Amino acid sequence: MAVGLGGAGVASADPTGGAAGRQWTASHDSKQKKYAGVSIQTDVPIRMSDGTVLRADIYRPADARKRPIATKTPTIVNLTPYTKLLTSLGTAVTEHPVLKPFMEQVVSKIHLTGPLRGADDLIGTMRDGGAKTMMADYDLIRSGYTQVVVDVRGTGFSQGKWQTFKSREQKDTVEVINWAARQKWSDGKIGMSGVSYSGINQIYAAKMAPKALKAIFPVEPGGDLIRDVVAPGGALGVGFLPLWLTLVNATKLIPNVASMMTGNFDWKWLADRMSEPGTFYPQLFAALSTPNIASIPPNLKSLLETNSDERSSWLSGADKITVPTMIYGGWFDLFTNTEVRAFNQIPLPPSQKKLIMGDGYHLTIGARQSGKNGTPPRLDVLQKAWFDKWLKGIDNGIDRYSPVTLKQVGDKWISADQFPRAGMQRQRLYLSDKRSGTAPYAVRDGSLKVARTTSRGRLTVSPGLATICSRDSAQQTIGVVAILPVCSDDARFSERDALTFTSAPVPTTRSVSGYTNVRLNTVHDATDGYWVATLNDVAPNGTSKVISTGQLVTSLRAYDAAKSEFAANGDVIDPYLKLTLSSRQPVTPGKPVAIDIGLLPTEALIKAGHRLRVDVFAMNMPRGLPLRPLLNASQLKPQHIQLDPTRPSFVNLPISATLR
């Protein structure tokens, strides 16, 4: 039932936002902007408390002749490691008076289907406004905001060594916020915007609660980097980290050519770059090459213990956030783990915190999201509405938008009061060696049963490379592999290296909402192993679509019970892994050991006639590769699930109606 609230007429249970959503779009896209132009001041120095100089570009509302206005405005801060030069170039292209309408017309006409449909969401980031949250939004600025884009320490044109979210960089963020609030063009109210790294910076800034910060709009933010991308489940993110580090380390070496031509080149910048040209490469190389635990160097060891600057700094601290926060993420984003967890930890009422979760990847920002046909409004529209409310005090109804807006995997958008959604029941489905007849191509075609199996059989799986074509591969490559739907939308290729366990068809449509855990009774032929599990929706035609995924290096199976979640029957449903050397537990070859593989949160619709499936793998390239000492310990030997009615293997999942 759609209920009109206040003058904005918000349909609180409508993902589009109803009448208010249409007003937000009209306000953002209006041709009658408050100000005619945008004034740009480049390479403005901001001196930090330790003397390091960061560089900023400042975009201010201006008249038609691009003269900045005298009126003080709220200010939006964006800190980026990808050099504000790229932000400037991207903005110049997308806001060019000739190129902009041409590009908008072109992308609006492109709607790819068939074998190329996977590329359509990448194009959709431009067509549907998501890409604008990565750049300076002239529509936002001309409506009365100043936008400040800053190169973080050690990147772009800023001095210093790249700190990668450590405590010094977080202190820089607060100092930039305080600096912006003091400027003559600022009214002292600061918001923060940006995607990915710039979204993570927002979460870390908000936990420190600088007085001037009034609202944040983090798009695809992380907040627990070890568990998100560095080593989820203890396996190094080899599909993402090397390319990402290369991107940042390469762009930070691009010099300020304009300063060379004017004779103002920053020699301190050059000295800082030469002192550390390849940040975090030594740790990455050590993770891939160190042969044993005893040989791990100190720079890598600091990432593997809880008391280091990196480990303590890289925690979100979302329970300390007190400023209005709207989070956008995705079920197959790099940071799905943090996006949901941080939202639930923020101690704010529903009017001041919102969560929107799509079903795309890190690169497909806001694709297929236009405020029409049941979708939420575009991200640039939501961002302006959020800042209008909390920085300008405009009663536009965004505070009455649904607390949680979710794209059910493979289906429609829905609104909810919380995540996981209310009404879910926990159910165990047991792994059985009885053939289901649905996956004859798999290493072994097993079943999911409501009752525990009486079998004492042993199922064996060996490391393989079929996951190179998989949804996990698409997730780790930030959506690039998703261009090939045969990989991202159907697991039948990767299942050639998997043990599969498939249920009977569900008699009526069910929802799955929340965290799923896979408990395996395992046996190893070595002192370590690597397990991967996915939860799939299997259509009547055989298509196997992954809806959630998780992984675990066996020796790193210890979890913190105080930070984990449990079902009423005592099953762990969201294990918070310790992932430290001190908690490592090598296994005894031949001796059964129970492990829990926590899957990422998900929201999915399982239609009548479809089946649920659990896939189990012994390798997950390129999403993960155990650290070299742990990989050596595993010897890449086959791994076994030992079926035992006294030590059952099962999946515990949140489902709207239990299966019988």
Side-chain angles (χ1 to χ4, degrees):
M1 180 174 66
V3 181
L5 299 175
V10 176
S12 60
D14 182 354
T16 70
R22 292 189 290 274
Q23 292 173 16
W24 304 334
T25 301
S27 174
H28 183 280
D29 295 349
S30 172
K31 301 296 183 183
Q32 303 299 318
K33 291 292 187 290
K34 187 173 183 179
Y35 302 102
V38 174
S39 170
I40 307 172
Q41 188 178 4
T42 62
D43 298 327
V44 176
I46 308 175
R47 188 172 295 276
M48 299 293 98
S49 57
D50 66 351
T52 300
V53 174
L54 309 187
R55 299 283 176 179
D57 288 349
I58 302 172
Y59 299 80
R60 294 175 58 191
D63 62 21
R65 298 175 63 182
K66 297 187 178 181
R67 295 176 298 190
I69 63 171
T71 305
K72 294 184 177 183
T73 65
T75 301
I76 310 302
V77 170
N78 181 315
L79 291 106
T80 177
Y82 305 119
T83 176
K84 59 185 177 59
L85 176 63
L86 296 183
T87 302
S88 175
L89 292 173
T91 302
V93 171
T94 56
E95 296 293 343
H96 191 277
V98 176
L99 292 178
K100 180 180 180 179
F102 173 74
M103 291 178 60
E104 288 177 345
Q105 185 177 19
V106 169
V107 299
S108 69
K109 301 295 184 183
I110 299 176
H111 293 279
L112 301 176
T113 59
L116 296 178
R117 68 182 184 274
D120 193 62
D121 281 351
L122 294 176
I123 297 170
T125 63
M126 297 180 61
R127 182 178 61 230
D128 303 326
K132 292 188 72 173
T133 60
M134 300 179 64
M135 295 175 283
D137 185 348
Y138 278 23
D139 290 314
L140 180 69
I141 296 164
R142 287 194 293 260
S143 71
Y145 289 91
T146 295
Q147 190 159 0
V148 178
V149 182
V150 185
D151 288 330
V152 300
R153 176 184 296 251
T155 72
F157 297 160
S158 291
Q159 296 176 354
K161 296 180 181 179
W162 183 30
Q163 296 292 299
T164 326
F165 300 116
K166 291 192 289 186
S167 55
R168 178 63 245 191
E169 182 176 297
Q170 294 185 28
K171 186 175 182 179
D172 288 347
T173 302
V174 172
E175 292 182 9
V176 168
I177 290 169
N178 293 337
W179 173 88
R182 294 193 304 266
Q183 300 309 299
K184 63 181 181 181
W185 32 259
S186 174
D187 70 358
K189 296 177 181 177
I190 306 298
M192 294 187 74
S193 68
V195 178
S196 189
Y197 198 108
S198 302
I200 299 169
N201 260 323
Q202 296 178 57
I203 297 292
Y204 292 152
K207 76 177 179 182
M208 294 183 286
K211 185 177 180 180
L213 186 61
K214 303 301 181 185
I216 61 174
F217 192 90
V219 176
E220 299 178 336
D224 190 345
L225 301 187
I226 292 292
R227 294 172 181 82
D228 287 344
V229 294
V230 176
L236 189 70
V238 294
F240 172 73
L241 288 175
L243 293 177
W244 175 68
L245 288 172
T246 298
L247 170 65
V248 179
N249 281 304
T251 55
K252 78 180 187 182
L253 298 176
I254 299 174
N256 188 337
V257 177
S259 69
M260 294 178 177
M261 298 178 67
T262 60
N264 296 314
F265 182 71
D266 188 347
W267 294 101
K268 175 68 165 57
W269 173 91
L270 181 61
D272 289 340
R273 293 301 185 273
M274 292 302 99
S275 67
E276 191 177 68
T279 304
F280 262 90
Y281 278 142
Q283 291 93 323
L284 179 64
F285 181 75
L288 294 171
S289 63
T290 303
N292 52 59
I293 297 294
S295 302
I296 293 177
N299 62 352
L300 178 58
K301 189 172 292 186
S302 68
L303 301 179
L304 302 174
E305 294 300 348
T306 57
N307 58 356
S308 66
D309 183 22
E310 293 92 342
R311 290 294 289 262
S312 58
S313 296
W314 289 353
L315 296 176
S316 71
D319 59 332
K320 298 180 178 66
I321 293 178
T322 58
V323 298
T325 302
M326 179 177 280
I327 296 173
Y328 174 86
W331 302 125
F332 305 104
D333 183 32
L334 292 170
F335 302 110
T336 307
N337 168 63
T338 283
E339 290 153 357
V340 170
R341 195 181 301 272
F343 170 79
N344 284 329
Q345 291 174 344
I346 294 173
L348 289 173
S351 61
Q352 296 181 39
K353 67 172 185 176
K354 310 291 180 184
L355 175 68
I356 302 175
M357 294 293 290
D359 68 350
Y361 303 93
H362 200 62
L363 270 183
T364 56
I365 309 162
R368 301 182 188 275
Q369 187 174 315
S370 62
K372 300 176 182 178
N373 300 321
T375 78
R378 302 191 323 259
L379 285 185
D380 53 344
V381 167
L382 288 169
Q383 178 174 259
K384 181 179 181 297
W386 193 246
F387 290 144
D388 281 351
K389 168 63 182 178
W390 299 112
L391 273 66
K392 291 187 174 182
I394 299 172
D395 183 16
N396 57 13
I398 190 70
D399 54 323
R400 299 184 291 278
Y401 189 52
S402 295
V404 175
T405 306
L406 311 169
K407 178 68 161 61
Q408 294 188 299
V409 177
D411 204 73
K412 62 184 179 180
W413 286 91
I414 61 172
S415 298
D417 292 329
Q418 64 185 55
F419 182 85
R421 287 192 295 121
M424 297 300 124
Q425 304 176 54
R426 304 299 314 190
Q427 181 173 19
R428 280 187 180 185
L429 295 177
Y430 294 90
L431 275 58
S432 166
D433 57 356
K434 183 177 180 180
R435 297 184 186 275
S436 74
T438 63
Y441 49 81
V443 173
R444 180 62 186 267
D445 166 31
S447 298
L448 279 181
K449 297 291 187 179
V450 173
R452 69 176 63 190
T453 179
T454 58
S455 171
R456 293 183 179 272
R458 176 175 287 192
L459 306 176
T460 300
V461 63
S462 299
L465 296 177
T467 52
I468 289 175
C469 178
S470 68
R471 187 150 226 175
D472 269 6
S473 178
Q475 183 263 1
Q476 185 69 185
T477 59
I478 62 177
V480 173
V481 170
I483 292 174
L484 304 172
V486 67
C487 294
S488 60
D489 293 349
D490 193 345
R492 282 180 288 184
F493 180 88
S494 59
E495 284 171 347
R496 286 168 170 80
D497 277 348
L499 303 173
T500 66
F501 303 90
T502 311
S503 74
V506 300
T508 58
T509 297
R510 260 77 166 170
S511 293
V512 173
S513 180
Y515 289 90
T516 297
N517 185 73
V518 176
R519 160 63 68 94
L520 298 179
N521 185 42
T522 66
V523 176
H524 298 74
D525 294 338
T527 58
D528 214 337
Y530 178 29
W531 294 92
V532 180
T534 66
L535 179 65
N536 299 16
D537 172 7
V538 182
N541 67 1
T543 300
S544 179
K545 182 186 287 289
V546 173
I547 60 176
S548 188
T549 178
Q551 56 186 19
L552 177 70
V553 174
T554 308
S555 65
L556 298 177
R557 63 192 178 276
Y559 59 83
D560 185 336
K563 296 180 179 179
S564 302
E565 292 188 29
F566 296 84
N569 68 351
D571 289 350
V572 63
I573 55 178
D574 180 21
Y576 186 86
L577 298 176
K578 294 181 178 180
L579 300 183
T580 62
L581 286 177
S582 58
S583 64
R584 181 172 176 264
Q585 301 172 341
V587 296
T588 301
K591 183 178 180 180
V593 59
I595 64 170
D596 289 287
I597 306 174
L599 308 192
L600 292 172
T602 191
E603 174 71 41
L605 197 70
I606 312 300
K607 297 178 180 179
H610 287 228
R611 302 167 185 257
L612 287 166
R613 173 179 291 167
V614 169
D615 289 339
V616 177
F617 302 84
M619 184 55 70
N620 201 18
M621 286 290 287
R623 188 180 180 211
L625 185 69
L627 303 180
R628 182 63 181 276
L630 311 185
L631 187 67
N632 286 355
S634 78
Q635 301 178 54
L636 293 175
K637 288 189 173 182
Q639 301 170 183
H640 317 282
I641 297 176
Q642 182 65 55
L643 298 179
D644 183 340
T646 66
R647 297 166 59 93
S649 295
F650 57 85
V651 56
N652 186 311
L653 74 162
I655 193 165
S656 57
T658 55
L659 302 176
R660 303 292 180 185

